[in-house]
């Protein structure tokens, strides 16, 4: 309903007129809903014979085919025989082989190329649930079998670093990183970065913080190096009155006699680094990142491992964050997961391409962050893996899943000539 058909005209309606128009609008809406319900009822009033035919047709379509039933029966019998062999210890070896070999032959050669599709997309709910249970246990077995790099504990802090952090925070904009937990993380990370920067003839030619944001971390690295190393804060944020940074104030004098190394903010995406920025990096640069969420860390690793940054960046310190937000297409090393039997794609029952393993990895990582002692009734209620494992065991596998994600990232760098360590910088 149009209240005023002249939008540029100032028209004042009385309270009574506004109430009348609201009543008319409400009555119109009620009438339309009633007409829609009546139309739906008329559409459902089909002859009894026609409705019976439709029910019979749906029932016939839901029945499994003879070929599918045959496959399910043979596979079920094979599984039962194998279980009997494990239970009955006195079973003769030759008889066991005679029973197992036909089952293996059936699974490998008789079942089509996509060997488990007939189970995954079966019309029998029991068969689908059976496949899902076995696939979960297979996933957990493969996950736990992946060899992981030992963690090096590095919780030390640089002398006087808390005083530097306090001064920078005091004179900078407001940020959530002022929390004591964040300050402890930053102090521990700075100890690792100071080691990566090197000294003497091995001193870094520059430091670049990829995805610097407000650049608190960048500024602190600049300060702990006594402003002796050229520092670059690279981010696509331009800043302004509502988005202030921790960048140091410009020098009072433009004289070239200043003893401080240059501090530069570069506004660009990491994928579009210019030759001018590369010139500032030098040939022995250190790249750092802190708490880049999810796939942003993988984007950085891909950029470091390819042109043009791989010619300048020789050392790297990465503190990942929010692993559960990483998307499958963003992760840098799916080949590593595939090599260990995880994260293959398949066609689902509705015809779409799926990767249930990667979704399960993300779900377990998210679950491992839960600090409660038990789940509430509605939390993860539809997740079969949580029902099978229980809350505490699922959290343990979530920690393993996070380690596996980092292991794949390190494997990606090692394949490109890097030497990697995994360090715990905060408990």
């Amino acid at each position: 309903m149009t209240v005023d058909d002249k939008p540029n005209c100032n028209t004042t309606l009385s309270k009574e007129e506004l109430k009348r128009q609201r009543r008319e609008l409400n009555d119109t809406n009620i009438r339309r809903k009633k007409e829609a319900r009546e139309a739906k009822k008329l559409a459902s009033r089909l002859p009894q014979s026609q409705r019976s035919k439709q029910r019979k047709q749906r029932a016939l379509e839901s029945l499994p085919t003879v070929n599918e039933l045959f496959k399910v029966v043979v596979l079920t019998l094979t599984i039962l025989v194998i279980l009997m062999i494990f239970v009955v210890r006195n079973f003769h070896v030759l008889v066991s082989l005679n029973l197992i070999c036909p089952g293996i032959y059936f699974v490998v050669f008789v079942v089509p190329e996509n060997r488990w599709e007939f189970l995954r997309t079966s019309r029998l709910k029991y068969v689908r649930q059976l496949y899902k249970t076995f696939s979960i246990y297979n996933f957990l077995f493969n996950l736990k079998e992946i060899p992981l790099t030992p963690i090096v504990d590095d919780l030390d802090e640089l002398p006087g670093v808390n005083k530097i952090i306090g001064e920078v925070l005091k004179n900078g904009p407001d940020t959530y990183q002022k929390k004591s937990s964040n300050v402890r993380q930053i102090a521990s990370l700075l100890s690792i970065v100071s080691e990566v920067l090197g000294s003497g003839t091995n001193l870094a030619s520059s430091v670049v913080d990829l995805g610097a944001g407000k650049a608190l971390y960048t500024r602190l690295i600049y300060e702990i190096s006594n402003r002796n190393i050229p520092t670059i804060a690279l981010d696509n944020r331009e800043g302004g009155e509502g988005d202030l940074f921790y960048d140091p104030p410009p020098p009072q004098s433009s004289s070239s006699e200043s003893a401080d190394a240059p501090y530069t903010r570069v506004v660009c995406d990491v994928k579009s680094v210019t030759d001018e920025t590369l010139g500032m990096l030098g040939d022995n640069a250190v790249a750092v990142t802190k708490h880049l969420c999810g796939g942003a860390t993988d984007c950085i690793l891909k950029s470091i491992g390819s042109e043009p940054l791989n010619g300048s960046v020789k050392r790297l310190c990465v503190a990942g964050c929010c692993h559960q937000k990483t998307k499958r297409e963003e992760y840098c090393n799916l080949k590593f997961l595939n090599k260990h039997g995880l994260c293959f794609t398949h066609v689902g029952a509705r015809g779409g391409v799926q990767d249930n393993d990667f979704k399960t990895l993300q779900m377990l990582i998210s679950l491992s962050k839960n600090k409660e002692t038990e789940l509430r009734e509605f939390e993860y209620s539809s997740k079969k893996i949580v029902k099978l494992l229980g809350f505490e065991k699922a959290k343990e596998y979530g920690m393993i899943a996070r380690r596996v994600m980092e292991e794949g990232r390190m494997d990606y760098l090692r394949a490109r000539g890097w030497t990697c360590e995994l360090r715990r910088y905060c408990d």
Side-chain angles (χ1 to χ4, degrees):
M1 180 178 292
T2 304
V3 176
D4 187 1
D5 59 353
K6 295 180 180 179
N8 295 323
C9 178
N10 294 324
T11 303
T12 304
L13 298 176
S14 64
K15 290 184 179 179
E16 290 75 14
E17 180 66 16
L18 285 172
K19 287 180 180 178
R20 185 188 66 79
Q21 291 188 0
R22 287 180 186 136
R23 280 196 302 271
E24 288 181 5
L25 183 60
N26 191 37
D27 292 341
T28 302
N29 290 335
I30 292 172
R31 187 174 64 254
R32 287 176 179 172
K33 289 179 181 178
K34 188 176 180 181
E35 290 173 354
R37 284 197 299 269
E38 291 296 329
K40 192 174 181 180
K41 285 181 181 179
L42 288 173
S44 64
R45 289 173 186 171
L46 296 172
Q48 183 67 25
S49 59
Q50 189 172 349
R51 281 191 290 172
S52 298
K53 287 180 180 178
Q54 288 182 348
R55 281 198 297 269
K56 288 180 181 178
Q57 183 66 26
R58 286 196 296 269
L60 288 172
E61 289 176 354
S62 63
L63 289 174
T65 62
V66 175
N67 188 33
E68 184 179 4
L69 280 174
F70 171 74
K71 292 176 180 178
V72 171
V73 169
V74 175
L75 187 62
T76 304
L77 289 174
T78 305
I79 293 171
L80 289 174
V81 169
I82 293 172
L83 289 175
M84 285 175 59
I85 293 169
F86 283 105
V87 173
V88 184
R89 301 285 184 176
N90 297 326
F91 218 88
H92 197 275
V93 176
L94 186 60
V95 178
S96 305
L97 291 174
N98 287 334
L99 289 171
I100 293 174
C101 289
I104 295 174
Y105 175 83
F106 168 78
V107 172
V108 175
F109 297 104
V110 178
V111 178
E113 183 179 352
N114 190 353
R115 295 189 175 89
W116 305 112
E117 184 178 359
F118 78 97
L119 292 176
R120 186 172 55 247
T121 61
S122 173
R123 296 171 185 174
L124 297 173
K125 184 178 180 181
Y126 162 75
V127 174
R128 295 197 304 271
Q129 291 297 325
L130 184 67
Y131 166 79
K132 191 170 185 179
T133 302
F134 273 96
S135 64
I136 286 173
Y137 283 117
N138 180 64
F139 165 82
L140 294 174
F141 175 80
N142 289 332
L143 185 68
K144 207 163 184 178
E145 287 297 303
I146 298 176
L148 301 175
T149 302
I151 299 178
V152 178
D153 285 325
D154 199 339
L155 306 178
D156 298 332
E157 295 181 1
L158 288 173
V161 70
N162 287 309
K163 182 180 179 182
I164 297 173
I165 295 173
E167 290 176 356
V168 173
L169 285 173
K170 181 181 178 181
N171 299 319
D174 193 21
T175 175
Y176 74 92
Q177 295 184 84
K178 289 183 177 180
K179 294 191 300 183
S180 59
S181 58
N182 290 87
V183 170
R184 287 199 303 273
Q185 290 181 24
I186 293 171
S188 184
L189 275 172
L190 289 174
S191 174
I192 299 172
V193 171
S194 66
E195 182 182 336
V196 175
L197 292 178
S199 60
T201 57
N202 195 34
L203 186 68
S205 60
S206 64
V207 182
V208 55
D209 188 356
L210 302 171
K214 288 183 176 294
L216 171 61
Y217 188 47
T218 325
R219 172 71 184 280
L220 290 170
I221 293 173
Y222 185 55
E223 299 297 342
I224 66 167
S225 68
N226 297 319
R227 301 194 173 193
N228 290 329
I229 301 175
T231 305
I232 302 167
L234 190 146
D235 198 270
N236 55 9
R237 292 162 62 173
E238 296 184 3
E241 292 184 4
D243 190 15
L244 302 177
F245 299 145
Y246 282 92
D247 299 343
Q252 298 293 328
S253 173
S254 59
S255 171
S256 59
E257 297 177 358
S258 174
D260 294 345
Y263 180 104
T264 311
R265 173 167 285 273
V266 176
V267 181
C268 77
D269 189 86
V270 69
K271 296 178 182 178
S272 55
V273 177
T274 63
D275 292 337
E276 183 181 356
T277 304
L278 289 173
M280 290 188 285
L281 291 177
D283 58 357
N284 189 24
V286 171
V288 298
T289 69
K290 175 181 171 291
H291 292 181
L292 290 180
C293 280
T297 298
D298 298 281
C299 177
I300 295 298
L301 296 181
K302 290 176 185 177
S303 300
I304 294 293
S306 58
E307 295 289 346
L309 285 177
N310 64 347
S312 299
V313 176
K314 304 301 181 185
R315 284 166 277 178
L316 177 64
C317 183
V318 178
C321 179
C322 302
H323 300 73
Q324 75 277 8
K325 294 183 180 179
T326 307
K327 296 178 181 178
R328 186 181 191 277
E329 60 272 16
E330 294 174 338
Y331 189 61
C332 65
N333 201 0
L334 283 172
K335 290 181 179 178
F336 172 81
L337 300 177
N338 294 159
K339 183 176 71 174
H340 293 284
L342 298 175
C343 300
F344 291 100
T345 56
H346 62 264
V347 178
R350 298 180 181 178
V353 178
Q354 300 176 354
D355 179 0
N356 290 334
D357 285 355
F358 201 85
K359 291 179 182 177
T360 305
L361 278 174
Q362 306 308 86
M363 186 274 294
L364 288 174
I365 293 172
S366 180
L367 180 65
S368 70
K369 293 174 174 284
N370 194 318
K371 297 180 181 179
E372 302 296 330
T373 55
E374 59 182 20
L375 290 174
R376 286 174 284 186
E377 185 177 352
F378 62 88
E379 291 182 305
Y380 301 97
S381 57
S382 63
K383 302 300 182 183
K384 191 175 183 67
I385 189 170
V386 179
K387 294 178 182 178
L388 292 172
L389 293 176
F391 178 46
E392 291 299 326
K393 199 68 177 177
K395 285 177 69 172
E396 291 178 20
Y397 274 98
M399 297 298 291
I400 296 173
R402 187 181 303 164
R403 288 288 313 279
V404 166
M405 293 281 287
E406 295 293 5
E407 194 69 33
R409 288 168 174 169
M410 289 193 292
D411 181 78
Y412 176 85
L413 291 172
R414 286 176 181 136
R416 285 153 182 79
W418 291 73
T419 302
C420 302
E421 282 186 353
L422 188 63
R423 298 199 182 188
R424 180 184 286 112
Y425 65 89
C426 195
D427 52 15

